[in-house]
C-alpha cells in the first residue's frame, strides 16, 4: 500500500473454504454473509493487524482488504466488482448474499 | 459414440478417489490452500466470485442422452438447477460446495464424464465441429481423431506443466465450425487422392494478443497425427516463455520464432519421436473409429410443413444432414432475454428425452453455446418443435443477432473486468422488441467480459469487450471479425461505450447495416467487407460525424 496515499475505509472479505460463499469479517471476529455487518477499517496499521487475525485457512480462502465508501444507508463497495460479490450476479436473483438477514454470521 | 474401457473407468475411479482424499486433507488442515489450489484446478475446480465453479469437459462436444441426464442431475442435486454451456464445449456449475464436488465427480464418472484438465497449463478439452458425424459437407468425422487426442493428452506425463494452457480443435469439413484457426493447434481433416489426412495449423489464439494460426503441415498422413502433435507440444514446452504469463501461449512462440523455424524444430522433433510410437496409436484409432459408427438411420417420408412458425424454426435452426430424410437441429439456448448457454435441469432432461425419441440418443454442445440434435428424422420435426417450444427451447434465432456468445463475465468470473451476460440479454431483448432479426439475417455478435476473450469477441462480426476503465464498466466494439475458415480478427471501431450505451450502439450498427446493404441477400459481414468500417463507425459515433462536418 502506498504511503503517499491517504488510507481509505476498507473491509476484510474472503470466500468460505467449504462452500465458497462471499463473507465479511466483523468486529466480533466472525465472518458474516452481509457486507453491512463488516467491521470498517479506518487505519492502515489496524487493517493490517486485522488481516492477519482474520486469515484462518480452516475457515476462509483468499482474505483481502476491499475499499468501501460510507453512504447515508451504511457502507457500500467502492468498486463495482465488490458490488457483485456483495449482492450476487445480476442475471439471476439467487446470489448467496440475497435474502440473508443482517447478523447472519457463519 | 466412444464407450469407456475398463482402463478408462479404473483410471477415473482412482483419480476421483485421490481428489476426494485431497479435499479431506484440505478441510482437516493437512494441506494449505497453496498446496491444494493446483490440485483442485487439475480437477476443474475454480474459486470464482461467489462460489466454487466446477467445469466439466464434454469431449468434442458429444453427449449421449444418459450423459445429459446426469448433467441435469448434478444441476438439481448440487447446484441451483441449471448449468452453463461454455464456448469450449464444457459445462460449468456455478454454485457447488467444495464438500460436494467429490460426489459430483463420482456421479459423472458413472457415465464416462470428468473434469480433468479443464483447467491448468495442460492440454484442455479437445473441441470439434458440433455437426460432426452428421454434416453433409464433412470429409471425415473429426470425433475419432479428437477422442484419440483426448486419450493421448489426458494425464500425459510430459505435458502437465506446460508454459500455459493448450487448446486443440478438430474439424472434418471445409466449412470450419470449430474456429480451428484460433486454437493452439487446429486440425483440418481433408482428402487428397482419396486419402484422408490432416492440415495442421499452429499458433492461433484470441485473448490479449489475438493471432490467426499458421499452417505448419499442409497434409499430414493420419497415421502420423499423434507423433506430430507430440512434437509440436514438445517444442512448445521447451521454447514457450515461462517468464511472462502474457507471452506464454504458443501463438507468441510462433510469432517470436517464426513459422519456418518452428516447422524445422517440429519436424526434427517429429523425426525423433515417431519411432517411439510403435503403431499402437493407429490400432487405437481404428478401434475408436469403430465406436463412432453412424446410427441405423430410419428412412422416413416427412409431410410438407404448413405451419409458418415451424417453417421459421426450420429456416433458422435446421441444417442439412448427410441424409435427405434427416436433419441437424440446433436448439437455441438463447431465448431472448435469457442467459446465453444456461439450461435448466428440466430443459436438459427434456433434450435428453427428445434425443432418445427422435435423434438416436445423441446430442452435441456447440462452442456457440447451443445444443444440437445431430440426427433428427425429418418426419419428427413437428413433434420435436412442439416439445421444445413448450419448454422455452423453441427460439428460432440460430445464427441471428440474438444468438449471442457471451462468457460468464463479472457476474461470475473472478478474472472478468466487466459483465457480459446482461449486455447479451439487453441486446437480445431489444432485438426482439424491434422484431428485426429475421430481416437482418446472419449476424454473429460475441461478447467477452475481459481481455482473455472467452466470448470470442475478436472473431465476431460485431465483437464487444468489457473492460474496467477507472472503476467503471466500459465496452469496446470491434467490427468485421470472422470465426470461419476465412478467419479475421475484427478491428476496433473507436472509443468504448458505457454499460447503458452498449445496446443503443449495437442498435445503431444494425440499422446502419440495413440502410447500406445492397439487398437482403447481402449479409452484415459481406456489407462490411464491401464498404469497410466507415458507415458503421459513423453510426456508432454520430456526434463525431457532426463535429467533423
Amino acid at each position: 500500500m502506498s504511503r503517499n496515499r491517504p488510507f481509505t475505509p476498507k473491509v476484510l472479505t474472503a470466500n468460505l473454504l467449504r462452500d465458497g460463499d462471499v463473507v465479511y469479517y466483523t468486529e466480533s471476529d466472525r465472518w458474516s454473509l452481509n457486507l453491512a455487518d463488516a467491521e470498517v477499517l479506518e487505519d492502515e496499521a489496524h487493517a493490517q493487524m486485522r488481516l492477519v487475525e482474520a486469515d484462518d485457512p480452516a475457515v476462509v480462502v483468499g482474505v483481502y482488504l476491499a475499499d468501501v465508501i460510507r453512504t447515508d444507508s451504511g457502507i457500500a463497495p467502492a468498486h463495482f466488482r465488490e458490488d457483485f460479490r456483495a449482492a450476487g450476479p445480476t442475471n439471476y436473483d439467487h446470489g448467496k448474499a440475497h435474502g440473508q438477514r443482517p447478523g447472519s454470521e457463519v | 459414440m466412444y464407450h469407456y474401457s475398463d482402463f478408462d473407468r479404473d483410471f477415473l475411479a482412482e483419480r476421483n478417489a485421490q481428489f476426494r482424499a485431497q479435499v479431506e486433507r484440505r478441510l482437516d488442515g493437512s494441506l494449505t490452500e497453496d498446496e491444494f489450489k493446483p490440485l483442485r484446478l487439475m480437477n476443474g475446480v475454480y474459486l470464482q466470485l461467489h462460489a466454487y465453479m466446477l467445469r466439466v469437459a464434454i469431449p468434442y462436444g458429444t453427449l449421449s442422452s444418459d450423459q445429459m441426464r446426469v448433467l441435469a442431475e448434478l444441476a438439481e442435486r448440487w447446484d441451483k438447477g441449471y448449468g452453463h454451456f461454455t464456448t469450449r464445449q464444457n459445462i460449468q456449475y456455478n454454485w457447488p460446495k467444495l464438500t460436494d464436488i467429490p460426489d459430483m465427480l463420482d456421479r459423472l464418472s458413472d457415465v464416462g464424464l470428468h473434469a480433468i484438465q479443464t483447467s491448468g497449463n495442460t492440454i484442455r478439452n479437445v473441441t470439434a465441429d458440433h455437426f460432426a458425424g452428421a454434416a453433409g459437407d464433412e470429409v471425415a468425422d473429426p470425433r475419432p481423431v479428437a477422442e484419440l487426442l483426448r486419450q493421448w493428452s489426458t494425464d500425459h506425463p510430459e505435458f502437465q506443466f506446460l508454459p500455459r494452457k493448450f487448446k486443440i480443435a478438430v474439424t472434418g469439413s471445409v466449412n470450419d465450425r470449430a474456429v480451428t484457426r484460433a486454437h493452439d493447434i487446429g486440425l483440418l481433416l481433408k482428402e487428397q487422392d482419396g486419402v484422408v489426412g490432416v492440415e495442421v495449423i499452429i499458433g492461433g489464439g484470441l485473448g490479449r494478443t489475438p493471432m490467426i494460426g499458421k499452417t505448419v503441415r499442409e497434409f499430414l498422413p493420419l497415421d502420423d497425427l499423434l507423433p506430430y502433435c507430440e512434437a509440436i507440444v514438445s517444442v512448445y514446452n521447451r521454447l514457450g516463455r515461462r517468464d511472462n504469463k502474457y507471452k506464454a501461449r504458443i501463438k507468441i512462440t510462433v510469432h517470436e520464432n517464426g513459422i519456418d523455424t518452428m516447422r524445422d524444430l517440429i519436424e526434427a522433433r517429429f523425426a525423433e519421436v515417431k519411432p517411439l510410437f510403435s503403431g499402437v496409436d493407429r490400432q487405437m484409432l481404428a478401434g475408436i473409429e469403430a465406436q463412432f459408427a453412424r446410427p441405423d438411420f430410419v428412412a422416413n417420408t416427412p409431410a410438407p410443413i404448413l405451419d409458418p412458425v415451424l417453417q421459421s424454426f426450420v429456416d433458422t435452426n435446421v441444417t442439412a444432414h448427410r441424409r435427405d430424410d434427416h436433419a441437424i437441429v440446433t436448439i437455441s439456448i438463447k431465448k431472448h432475454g435469457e442467459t446465453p448457454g444456461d439450461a435448466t435441469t428440466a430443459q436438459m432432461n427434456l433434450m435428453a428425452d427428445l434425443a432418445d425419441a427422435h435423434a438416436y440418443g445423441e446430442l452435441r454442445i456447440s462452442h456457440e453455446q447451443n445444443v444440437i440434435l445431430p440426427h433428427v428424422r425429418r418426419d419428427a420435426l413437428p413433434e420435436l418443435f412442439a416439445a421444445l417450444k413448450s419448454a422455452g427451447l423453441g427460439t428460432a434465432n440460430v445464427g441471428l443477432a440474438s444468438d449471442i456468445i457471451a462468457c460468464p463475465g463479472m457476474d461470475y468470473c473472478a478474472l472478468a473486468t466487466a459483465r457480459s451476460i446482461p449486455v447479451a440479454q439487453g441486446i437480445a431483448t431489444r432485438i426482439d422488441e424491434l422484431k428485426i432479426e429475421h430481416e437482418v439475417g446472419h449476424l454473429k455478435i460475441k461478447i467477452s467480459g475481459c481481455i482473455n476473450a472467452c466470448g470470442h469477441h475478436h472473431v465476431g462480426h460485431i465483437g464487444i469487450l468489457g473492460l474496467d476503465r477507472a472503476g467503471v464498466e466500459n465496452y469496446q466494439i470491434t467490427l468485421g471479425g470472422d470465426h470461419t475458415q476465412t478467419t479475421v480478427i475484427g478491428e476496433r471501431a473507436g472509443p468504448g461505450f458505457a454499460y447503458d450505451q452498449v445496446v443503443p450502439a449495437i442498435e445503431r450498427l444494425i440499422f446502419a447495416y440495413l440502410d447500406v446493404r445492397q439487398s437482403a441477400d447481402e449479409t452484415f459481414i459481406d456489407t462490411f467487407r464491401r464498404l469497410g468500417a466507415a458507415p458503421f463507425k459513423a453510426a456508432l459515433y454520430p456526434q463525431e460525424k457532426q463535429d467533423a462536418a
Side-chain angles (χ1 to χ4, degrees), chain B residues 233-249:
Chain B
V233 185
S234 178
V235 168
Y236 164 62
N237 202 16
R238 187 160 57 84
L239 286 190
R241 289 183 55 175
R242 294 171 192 268
D243 62 317
N244 185 336
K245 181 181 176 182
Y246 302 119
K247 296 185 176 178
R249 295 290 292 268

Side-chain angles (χ1 to χ4, degrees), chain A residues 51-75:
Chain A
L51 182 60
V52 172
E53 290 172 353
D55 194 2
D56 181 351
V59 179
V60 288
V61 179
V63 184
Y64 65 94
L65 291 160
D67 285 312
V68 291
I69 52 174
R70 292 192 181 279
T71 70
D72 291 343
S73 55
I75 55 171

